[in-house]
Amino acid sequence: MNATADPSRIAGPAPMVTAVIPTLNEADNLRWLLPRLTGVDEIVIVDGESTDGSAEVAAALRPDAVIISRPPRGKGLALQAGFAAATGEVIVMLDADGSMDPAEIPAFVALVGRGFDFDFVKGSRYACGGGSEDLTFLRRAGNKWLTRLANTLYRTGWTDLCYGYVAMRRGAVDRLRLRSTGFEIETEMCVNAVTTGLRIAEVASFESNRRFGESHLNTWRDGYRVLKMMVAGRLRPVRDTAAVPDAVALPAAAGLAA
């Protein structure tokens, strides 16, 4: 189903937007990202006890930011803490490494909060207009294989599974019932969005190389965790209390669940 806007909703007030950013030794990247993060009303940074002064850099650049310190026990736990602290009607999650362009935020938010009825909007590097400078051959092959498997298991039409640029309604957080502790939380969000009947869309996104430092992602370890989570989600799906559809078809760049 194509995305069509409701003119009466477009004319309404813009929703409050919270950006949730997990950090672990990303001080140099925060110096690039935070001055460019202008399309949000609230910033929640969950810092994994960084030793490079990430929290101090964030506080200096954005005194209005909410900074939460947590032990470095994984991206999933950091995001869950950030979602719990967010007060915006729309929550946007993005990485701290500068690979996700903050100028794309309005495109995500528009599908959630201004005239459309989507609950969960996922960035796609494979949708028309998207792309990546950062994917290695191995990561690209793994992501494509995992995406195909997810589409088979859940009868969906995802074009990009393992990418963590996401916007969602605040009310969707509780429905997702997230438990993952690591990078596999991105897949858990997609899987649970389907099984709980959230209205889902994809939007094109371009991923740059990380600006500074080394990635915290381990291709083999985290790929296995994604696979394990995806299969477990099929065997023991998270469901809403209301009846939900068995399948979701997602055309590239925009799709609808329910």
Side-chain angles (χ1 to χ4, degrees):
M1 182 175 178
N2 292 328
T4 20
D6 178 350
S8 66
R9 292 187 61 194
I10 293 176
M16 178 179 172
V17 179
T18 299
V20 174
I21 307 170
T23 64
L24 179 61
N25 295 325
E26 300 285 7
D28 289 335
N29 290 313
L30 290 174
R31 291 187 181 96
W32 180 90
L33 173 64
L34 292 179
R36 292 169 172 80
L37 197 58
T38 57
V40 301
D41 304 289
E42 178 182 59
I43 299 173
V44 176
I45 294 174
V46 185
D47 183 64
E49 298 180 349
S50 296
T51 58
D52 70 343
S54 290
E56 291 77 11
V57 167
L61 290 173
R62 294 299 299 253
D64 58 326
V66 176
I67 301 175
I68 302 169
S69 179
R70 288 286 186 275
R73 294 176 181 164
K75 183 177 184 178
L77 291 176
L79 284 171
Q80 290 178 59
F83 296 157
T87 62
E89 300 166 66
V90 176
I91 297 173
V92 178
M93 70 180 233
L94 70 163
D95 292 343
D97 62 7
S99 63
M100 299 169 179
D101 186 355
E104 294 180 358
I105 289 176
F108 284 78
V109 173
L111 289 175
V112 179
R114 294 297 298 276
F116 295 91
D117 287 321
F118 297 115
D119 303 302
F120 183 88
V121 178
K122 177 82 160 54
S124 172
R125 296 163 292 187
Y126 296 101
C128 182
S132 177
E133 297 175 339
D134 188 56
L135 283 172
T136 63
F137 173 81
L138 183 60
R139 286 178 57 206
R140 188 182 298 273
N143 184 37
K144 285 187 175 181
W145 183 82
L146 289 167
T147 301
R148 289 193 189 106
L149 180 60
N151 288 334
T152 300
L153 289 174
Y154 294 93
R155 289 184 286 170
T156 52
W158 297 111
T159 63
D160 191 356
L161 185 71
C162 303
Y163 186 50
Y165 207 166
V166 170
M168 59 186 167
R169 296 184 190 276
R170 187 162 176 260
V173 175
D174 288 339
R175 294 175 66 182
L176 290 173
R177 291 162 58 186
L178 300 170
R179 297 180 181 177
S180 293
T181 60
F183 282 93
E184 73 278 7
I185 192 170
E186 297 166 4
T187 300
E188 184 186 26
M189 293 174 75
C190 293
V191 165
N192 292 2
V194 171
T195 62
T196 58
L198 295 183
R199 295 159 296 190
I200 304 167
E202 285 187 327
V203 64
S205 179
F206 187 85
E207 178 188 39
S208 301
N209 287 314
R210 112 181 324 267
R211 305 286 166 172
F212 303 96
E214 299 290 329
S215 173
H216 305 299
L217 178 72
N218 181 294
T219 301
W220 291 105
R221 178 199 66 204
D222 293 311
Y224 173 72
R225 292 180 68 155
V226 167
L227 175 61
K228 183 179 177 182
M229 194 265 111
M230 192 166 22
V231 173
R234 182 59 177 164
L235 295 174
R236 297 181 298 277
V238 171
R239 298 281 190 185
D240 242 359
T241 52
V244 297
D246 292 328
V248 179
L250 286 173
L256 185 64

